[in-house]
Amino acid sequence: MYGNAYIDPKDQKGKTVEGEDPVKLAEFEARILAGEKIEPQDWMPALYRKQLIRMIEQHAHSEIIGALPEGTWITRAPGFRRKLALMAKVQDEVGHAQLLYSAAETLGKPREDMINDLITGKSKYSNVFNYPAITWADSAIIAWLIDAGAIVNQLANSKGSYGPYCRALERICYEESFHLKYGHDNVVHLATGTAKQRQMVQEALTRWWQPIMHFFGPPDRVSVHTEVLMKWKVKMMSNDDMRQQYLDMYVPKIWDLGLELPDPNLRKNEETGKWEYTEPDWDEFKRVINGDGPCNAERLAVRRMAEEKGRWVRRAILGEDAKYSVPFA
Ligand code: BYC
């Protein structure tokens, strides 16, 4: 069905480009250098395929798990209009997961395997969704400032090399831009509201700041995958550069609302043009992405329950051989 066989992540093959046909590899790299898109049927090194599956799959999981913290506020949203808007946003996030699972399937990994890897805790997903949305203001901060982080990442990577991922990202970015406006409107409402509302949004911002700093990944000096991903234009910006762009775009907006960020060292160095900040706690980041955050167990339990309770529906629609999805067309 696909150009190359799907590579099991446990397999040693696919860890380096050793053993690849040097002529094909050179042609592939020349295409990337020329800005061409690589499509599913094209030849690609096993490592490119493996890296793409890892990243797109983690991204898909992040969308589907990311629907959960905000989803918990649908029943308690303040007012009918906020409730409708939040329901639509959460549905969009699940739709993003569908697009991304389909993009990852073009590389040969069945959706059933991806879902299994998520619910057994083998696959990672974004750190930020392992924290609770304690108040309505947390959901507002997620919608504004986490969707904003996602846009920084996705807008850059939508210009990358793998056609199906880039096309999915472009579509996702349109929807995320609307989410961001919704989130900003919510935060402005709270920040300009009563003293209690203001306090609620300030506390939520303080809680989310470190996870947001973690969101772009570890510092470049220790990032494992950035080099090869940037060489092959899967990642179009390094983790630190994304973080810098984000700080540049959003810190002034946060300060304009009179809100405070919980980092006394945060400031833009006008000489270098770079933001200076206190390093977030990278040990906490490691614990959270490896399964030991405040909500990891709860998030996976919800997904496991959804898989189990939805099995009869898949079977009813697709028959006894029901997998997790209809194959990508
Ligand atoms: N969280 O070598 P590095 C959304 C892992 S959803 C967890 O720098 P890379 C939304 C990394 O996987 C959008 N793990 O990695 C949804 C690697 O571990 P493995 C979410 C992280 O890939 C609903 C190790 O650390 N966005 O916005 O070069 C509602 C070493 O890192 C994280 C995406 O998923 C993290 N934050 O760069 C609202 C974007 N960071 O695999 C909103 C797609 C790092 O070796 N992903 N790790 O075990 C990416 O762009 C890249 O994977 C990253 C990391 C920039 C995140």
Side-chain angles (χ1 to χ4, degrees):
M1 179 169 35
Y2 300 102
N4 299 15
Y6 153 58
I7 296 151
D8 188 311
K10 293 195 296 292
D11 205 331
Q12 284 308 300
K13 191 173 179 315
K15 287 216 167 133
T16 70
V17 286
E18 273 169 41
E20 298 287 9
D21 180 331
V23 175
K24 284 184 175 166
L25 184 61
E27 279 169 10
F28 167 83
E29 291 191 333
R31 288 187 64 195
I32 296 215
L33 207 61
E36 284 182 40
K37 294 275 186 244
I38 306 297
E39 296 299 337
Q41 67 280 5
D42 295 343
W43 185 89
M44 60 186 81
L47 182 59
Y48 179 78
R49 183 182 298 276
K50 183 183 170 186
Q51 282 284 357
L52 274 170
I53 291 175
R54 180 190 66 83
M55 203 169 118
I56 303 173
E57 177 182 355
Q58 284 180 11
H59 191 167
H61 297 331
S62 304
E63 299 281 357
I64 206 165
I65 296 275
L68 299 178
E70 286 176 280
T72 59
W73 279 95
I74 290 175
T75 53
R76 296 169 288 165
F80 186 60
R81 289 196 180 152
R82 294 282 187 216
K83 188 191 286 273
L84 281 180
L86 180 57
M87 267 163 61
K89 179 183 190 300
V90 166
Q91 281 179 349
D92 283 352
E93 305 299 359
V94 176
H96 298 167
Q98 293 286 3
L99 286 172
L100 292 161
Y101 283 127
S102 295
E105 280 178 310
T106 65
L107 293 152
K109 182 165 180 176
R111 190 174 303 207
E112 189 178 30
D113 291 3
M114 292 188 256
I115 299 290
N116 272 335
D117 288 350
L118 170 65
I119 61 184
T120 56
K122 190 169 154 197
S123 267
K124 290 193 170 67
Y125 56 86
S126 187
N127 67 299
V128 282
F129 303 119
N130 290 308
Y131 293 88
I134 296 169
T135 67
W136 170 250
D138 293 66
S139 84
I141 293 290
I142 296 173
W144 181 30
L145 292 176
I146 292 185
D147 281 70
I151 293 174
V152 166
N153 172 298
Q154 291 162 186
L155 212 52
N157 292 344
S158 70
K159 310 283 183 303
S161 64
Y162 187 57
Y165 188 40
C166 296
R167 290 188 286 273
L169 290 182
E170 260 178 41
R171 159 100 185 258
I172 291 169
C173 280
Y174 287 124
E175 294 184 353
E176 300 287 33
S177 308
F178 196 72
H179 298 168
L180 181 145
K181 288 200 172 99
Y182 154 83
H184 185 246
D185 183 64
N186 267 333
V187 171
V188 170
H189 187 85
L190 295 171
T192 55
T194 63
K196 182 78 189 152
Q197 285 174 316
R198 216 177 150 71
Q199 183 192 347
M200 191 166 75
V201 78
Q202 177 60 63
E203 285 172 3
L205 178 62
T206 303
R207 275 194 287 280
W208 284 88
W209 189 243
Q210 174 156 282
I212 289 172
M213 290 295 280
H214 287 153
F215 179 78
F216 301 96
D220 292 352
R221 62 179 186 279
V222 295
S223 166
V224 184
H225 305 291
T226 297
E227 194 182 334
V228 72
L229 289 175
M230 288 194 72
K231 177 175 158 203
W232 285 336
K233 296 189 184 169
V234 173
K235 250 170 110 163
M236 301 298 281
M237 279 172 92
S238 76
N239 301 355
D240 285 336
D241 287 349
M242 285 189 284
R243 218 173 343 259
Q244 283 290 330
Q245 189 183 94
Y246 180 84
L247 293 173
D248 226 19
M249 290 172 77
Y250 292 98
V251 172
K253 291 188 171 68
I254 294 168
W255 283 343
D256 274 353
L257 289 172
L259 296 170
E260 285 170 23
L261 288 164
D263 178 357
N265 298 320
L266 184 67
R267 67 174 196 107
K268 189 167 181 174
N269 181 327
E270 293 303 339
E271 273 170 35
T272 63
K274 298 260 182 209
W275 284 85
E276 292 167 2
Y277 49 83
T278 311
E279 281 296 326
D281 179 348
W282 291 109
D283 290 334
E284 173 171 330
F285 171 75
K286 275 190 214 143
R287 280 196 304 278
V288 169
I289 67 171
N290 287 309
D292 194 18
C295 295
N296 299 59
E298 181 187 327
R299 302 283 184 247
L300 291 191
V302 172
R303 286 313 317 159
R304 241 177 260 126
M305 183 188 71
E307 277 316 301
E308 282 160 20
K309 293 209 166 161
R311 191 164 295 132
W312 72 270
V313 179
R314 287 190 298 280
R315 220 177 264 143
I317 295 171
L318 299 169
E320 271 311 302
D321 293 336
K323 300 269 182 196
Y324 287 81
S325 63
V326 181
F328 184 67

